[in-house]
Short mmCIF file of all heavy atoms in Angstrom, two decimals:
data_model
loop_
_atom_site.label_atom_id
_atom_site.label_comp_id
_atom_site.label_asym_id
_atom_site.label_seq_id
_atom_site.Cartn_x
_atom_site.Cartn_y
_atom_site.Cartn_z
N SER J 23 -53.67 38.43 58.07
CA SER J 23 -53.95 39.67 58.81
C SER J 23 -53.35 40.88 58.09
O SER J 23 -53.97 41.95 58.04
CB SER J 23 -53.40 39.58 60.24
OG SER J 23 -52.02 39.26 60.22
N THR J 24 -52.17 40.74 57.54
CA THR J 24 -51.52 41.86 56.85
C THR J 24 -52.27 42.22 55.58
O THR J 24 -52.45 43.40 55.26
CB THR J 24 -50.06 41.47 56.51
OG1 THR J 24 -49.40 41.13 57.71
CG2 THR J 24 -49.33 42.61 55.84
N THR J 73 -64.72 39.33 58.30
CA THR J 73 -64.05 40.10 59.35
C THR J 73 -65.11 40.83 60.15
O THR J 73 -66.30 40.81 59.82
CB THR J 73 -63.08 41.13 58.74
OG1 THR J 73 -63.86 42.15 58.10
CG2 THR J 73 -62.14 40.47 57.72
N GLY J 78 -73.42 41.12 58.36
CA GLY J 78 -74.42 40.06 58.57
C GLY J 78 -75.24 40.25 59.83
O GLY J 78 -74.84 40.93 60.77
#
Side-chain angles (χ1 to χ4, degrees):
S23 55
T24 303
T73 70

